[in-house]
Amino acid sequence: MTTPQASPSVIPPLFAGLCDDAAIFPPGDLPLSEAVPAHRAHRTAWYADLVGPFLCGAGRIEALGAELGEGELAVGLIVPEGSAGLEPALRTVANDPRLRIAGIEITADRDVPAPEGVRRVRAALERHLPEYAPAAPTAIELPRGDELLLALDELEGGPYRAKFRTGGTATAAFPGELELASFLYGAVYRKVAVKFTAGLHHALRHDDPATGFAHHGFLNLLLATHAALGGAEHPELSALLARRDGDGIAAELTELSGDQVAAVRAVFTSFGTCSIAEPLADLAAHGLVAIPQS
């Protein structure tokens, strides 16, 4: 008897697992009672391969458990308290057998210089991950500012990713093209994988008409990552991050080989977005994902 073959994904490998579900975080702020069933619907939809884990802060894990019912959930655990909050957060998740840690994002300790903050978090991870989540991909959120590259130095040669904020709820939360280019160049140079968060749920660099904030685009970042891997430096990376020609960017990304796609995604692992619908719609609008006909 012939074994049935799985249908090929309609999500190209360049975008597989790119969008972590941050529906309960600002500016979306969806209640858990709505976010959990919405995430489950994403995970069974035709675009399921686009969607990463459900992101949840450590302080809301017990409330999340109350919404699960009989089902299970792969969760990306967010630990904003740094090293002191890691073990209690891991223990809380471990106490609910319906939850599986699919990733960890922890903020570098803030009460010390950035490199020391990273070292403290690394030490806590090395103590506690073997017991609770030995295989979970883990990102350490680095602070913006003068010590950013020194903090990146602490991740070089290790297993942990760097998490970097590309936006927020105020103008100052959005790094400019040169600052983001500097971070990306530094990460690629040090061979450190990255996870982005905040303000990145649209494909292209654009100005939000409601707030006036200048948002980065995830397609820009994918293309800039490819360029950085090819040796591009700050001016070229900044120019790529500033581009707003969606069709041109989409065409260049479509030309990437399988090996180039794998290399890009080994660096740019995912980004957190409070909306799955918006990045999906942008990908479809630029011809990068084909919506199946019903």
Side-chain angles (χ1 to χ4, degrees):
M1 184 175 68
T2 303
T3 302
Q5 298 296 309
S7 300
S9 173
V10 296
I11 301 298
L14 183 60
F15 311 115
L18 185 64
C19 299
D20 293 340
D21 189 350
I24 65 174
F25 290 87
D29 290 318
L30 204 64
L32 280 167
S33 59
E34 298 177 27
V36 171
H39 180 76
R40 285 177 165 156
H42 294 321
R43 298 299 302 156
T44 57
W46 63 266
Y47 55 84
D49 286 346
L50 176 70
V51 184
F54 184 86
L55 302 181
C56 186
R60 302 183 72 179
I61 290 296
E62 292 183 351
L64 172 61
E67 296 293 339
L68 288 185
E70 298 296 321
E72 297 181 350
L73 190 68
V75 62
L77 177 63
I78 312 296
V79 187
E81 300 83 6
S83 60
L86 179 63
E87 197 278 337
L90 292 169
R91 185 167 9 98
T92 300
V93 176
N95 286 338
D96 190 331
R98 299 167 301 171
L99 297 177
R100 176 178 63 83
I101 296 178
I104 298 167
E105 300 171 26
I106 179 169
T107 303
D109 286 5
R110 295 191 177 101
D111 58 342
V112 293
E116 176 61 21
V118 174
R119 287 192 291 271
R120 289 186 181 185
V121 166
R122 274 180 28 215
L125 290 166
E126 287 156 13
R127 283 196 305 273
H128 300 301
L129 286 192
E131 177 181 358
Y132 290 104
T138 299
I140 300 176
E141 181 173 339
L142 305 183
R144 291 171 57 199
D146 294 342
E147 295 185 316
L148 174 62
L149 298 183
L150 295 175
L152 262 176
D153 286 340
E154 297 296 326
L155 298 180
E156 186 173 6
Y160 306 123
R161 302 170 180 174
K163 178 179 174 181
F164 189 73
R165 291 192 172 270
T166 53
T169 57
T171 302
F174 290 80
E177 288 100 338
L178 184 58
E179 181 182 351
L180 184 53
S182 177
F183 168 75
L184 182 60
Y185 179 88
V188 169
Y189 179 81
R190 293 165 177 78
K191 297 182 172 59
V192 175
V194 298
K195 189 288 171 68
F196 294 102
T197 193
L200 199 63
H201 46 273
H202 279 295
L204 299 174
R205 183 72 163 151
H206 69 283
D207 298 321
D208 187 319
T211 64
F213 299 159
H215 287 249
H216 292 287
F218 64 85
L219 293 185
N220 297 77
L221 258 173
L222 287 167
L223 191 58
T225 301
H226 170 63
L229 286 165
E233 299 194 6
H234 297 64
E236 183 179 347
L237 299 179
S238 296
L240 290 171
L241 293 171
R243 283 176 58 179
R244 301 187 181 214
D245 57 314
D247 291 343
I249 291 173
E252 290 179 46
L253 289 173
T254 301
E255 293 173 358
L256 298 184
S257 69
D259 287 345
Q260 289 171 328
V261 165
V264 167
R265 290 301 311 280
V267 175
F268 180 0
T269 60
S270 67
F271 67 93
T273 173
C274 61
S275 170
I276 299 298
E278 289 174 345
L280 178 63
D282 281 3
L283 288 172
H286 292 290
L288 295 168
V289 165
I291 299 176
Q293 299 300 311
S294 57

